[in-house]
Amino acid sequence: MKAAIIGLPQSGKTTLFQALAGSAGGKDKGGLTMGSVPVPDVRVDRLTDMYRPKKTVPAVLEIVEAQAPSIGNLEKRGQGLDSAFLNMVKPMDAFLLVARAFDGEGLCEPARDVSTVIDDLVLADLMVVENRLERMDLDVRKGKTPAPPEERKALERAKELLSEGRLVHDDPELAVHPDLKGYAFLTGRPIIVVLNVADDQIGLDRDALLAGANLPVHGLPTFPCCAKVEQEIQDLPAEDRGEFMEAMGITEPVLDVVIRETYASLGLVSFLTVGEDEVRAWTIRQGTPAPRAAGTVHSDMERGFIRAEVMTYDDLMNLGSEAAVKKAGKARLEGRDYVVLDGDVIHFRFNV
Ligand SMILES: Nc1nc2c(ncn2[C@@H]2O[C@H](COP(=O)(O)OP(=O)(O)OP(=O)(O)O)[C@@H](O)[C@H]2O)c(=O)[nH]1
Ligand SMILES: [Mg+2]
């Protein structure tokens, strides 16, 4: 899973990055800050205690700070987003849009900042759609084979939405339309808005903070955090973090919130594999059938899939061992049509 941190200059993108990945967590690659963050998962910790494996591998969230000098830059308005930004965000599954709600350079207007960024994403998609539709018209005039009518219809629907300043993601059918997949629309991906508040606003009522900022985020998941303090917490030794958070009135580290919101927006769940060698969490889309889930572990497992031996994490914890789960008749053998659920502990049987 990959997420890009975006936002206006000086909104706190680097600070949020460090709050998630730790100050040492970022690798600079061609001016890009990027890093991998292990996804906190208490199930992985408890399974590790149970199996004492040689290795524990959590799921990871890959994040980049995506600089877009042209975002919100009035002089560059209408030229679209720069190609470096577009290339960087192409492989990303979701956006974390940081809006500055603390005093800094310029006015503190998070609502305006959020619309500026969203408008730029919308505009970038609209330019793609319009170019493509124009090219389709040109092809028709030249007597070339016309594009499939479904694709054209979907593009026209996208154009309609985007022209109203709305997101491709607002139309669930369009967001997953097979003919639009190749366009990789920016606004076809979840955007999670992070209201980056001042230190003295920590612990204030979350709904009141959000209502006060009055963000134009119809339906987008949104949460407040103080990136600077979160970053300071992340820099503390792990054993000191709890106490500091409590003193500050922070109930949950921002990483946990980000993970929860991205998993929910993308419809992600985790299943687990266990053994003496390795305890590991795997991230899949909700609704993934067992063979495809097996394929995330190894392509041979998908190709040679026979069955999945499935227990729930809760049964395993409550009963204390795999043997006990089996004895209680709670281990299931599932076939190709089985849809893997969050918290399934799975042994794949395969043959290649
Ligand atoms: N008070 C306060 N200051 C913050 C917070 N987050 C970031 N800052 C400060 O705001 C300034 C900009 O933060 P950065 O994280 O560098 O912002 P950025 O979006 O990465 O900036 P650019 O990469 O230059 O666009 C720094 O001085 C931070 O210390 C916050 O939550 N509260
Ligand atoms: Mg930065």
Side-chain angles (χ1 to χ4, degrees), residues 17-302:
F17 180 96
Q18 292 172 346
L20 298 170
S23 298
K27 263 179 274 164
D28 236 357
K29 207 175 138 203
L32 246 184
T33 315
M34 53 199 309
S36 291
V37 187
V39 173
D41 188 338
V42 65
R43 298 171 300 188
V44 173
D45 302 338
R46 294 195 56 196
L47 288 169
T48 298
D49 291 341
M50 181 181 272
Y51 283 86
R52 308 239 155 250
K54 295 191 189 110
K55 189 163 85 171
T56 296
V57 188
V60 291
L61 168 67
E62 287 176 51
I63 44 176
V64 298
E65 176 184 353
Q67 301 280 3
S70 60
I71 275 195
N73 183 335
L74 286 176
E75 282 165 31
K76 292 193 175 178
R77 256 302 152 70
Q79 292 172 28
L81 295 170
D82 41 303
S83 54
F85 175 83
L86 293 172
N87 285 335
M88 178 195 321
V89 298
K90 205 165 206 165
M92 297 291 145
D93 301 304
F95 294 116
L96 298 169
L97 196 178
V98 184
R100 180 169 64 83
F102 57 87
D103 284 328
E105 225 176 278
L107 292 175
C108 172
E109 281 188 72
R112 183 205 54 183
D113 295 353
V114 167
S115 6
T116 302
V117 176
I118 289 183
D119 286 353
D120 274 359
L121 299 178
V122 166
L123 192 64
D125 282 349
L126 187 59
M127 283 167 74
V128 171
V129 172
E130 285 180 336
N131 283 339
R132 181 69 186 123
L133 283 170
E134 266 168 38
R135 240 177 307 130
M136 283 177 169
D137 287 341
L138 197 66
D139 284 352
V140 170
R141 284 204 296 279
K142 283 183 178 162
K144 287 192 187 161
T145 330
E150 306 79 47
E151 184 179 341
R152 170 137 208 150
K153 223 174 118 204
L155 282 170
E156 271 161 2
R157 169 78 186 122
K159 182 175 166 180
E160 202 181 295
L161 268 179
L162 294 162
S163 309
E164 292 167 9
R166 294 173 61 201
L167 316 173
V168 170
H169 198 256
D170 283 345
D171 183 332
E173 234 170 81
L174 220 48
V176 297
H177 199 290
D179 290 309
L180 296 187
K181 221 172 163 185
Y183 295 96
F185 290 124
L186 300 174
T187 68
R189 306 170 214 194
I191 301 171
I192 298 158
V193 179
V194 184
L195 185 70
N196 190 10
V197 300
D199 325 17
D200 59 6
Q201 300 200 292
I202 297 174
L204 295 185
D205 179 62
R206 169 201 155 103
D207 293 335
L209 275 177
L210 293 178
N214 194 21
L215 301 177
V217 291
H218 321 285
L220 295 183
T222 304
F223 65 89
C225 89
C226 176
K228 202 169 82 181
V229 169
E230 296 278 353
Q231 181 216 335
E232 286 162 13
I233 295 171
Q234 177 64 245
D235 281 346
L236 291 174
E239 62 272 20
D240 297 344
R241 286 178 199 157
E243 200 182 324
F244 188 76
M245 278 172 57
E246 207 175 311
M248 295 295 302
I250 299 174
T251 46
E252 199 182 14
V254 65
L255 174 59
D256 292 31
V257 184
V258 163
I259 296 289
R260 191 171 56 241
E261 297 291 354
T262 19
Y263 271 60
S265 317
L266 288 163
L268 301 175
V269 293
S270 303
F271 71 90
L272 304 135
T273 54
V274 293
E276 283 171 15
D277 285 337
E278 185 181 272
V279 164
R280 184 159 180 170
W282 307 85
T283 305
I284 51 170
R285 298 249 172 197
Q286 246 159 32
T288 302
R292 197 141 28 91
T296 61
V297 179
H298 199 291
S299 55
D300 282 351
M301 286 194 184
E302 179 167 6

Side-chain angles (χ1 to χ4, degrees), residues 299-312:
S299 55
D300 282 351
M301 286 194 184
E302 179 167 6
R303 217 155 32 93
F305 179 88
I306 302 172
R307 279 189 197 299
E309 196 184 303
V310 184
M311 293 168 279
T312 68

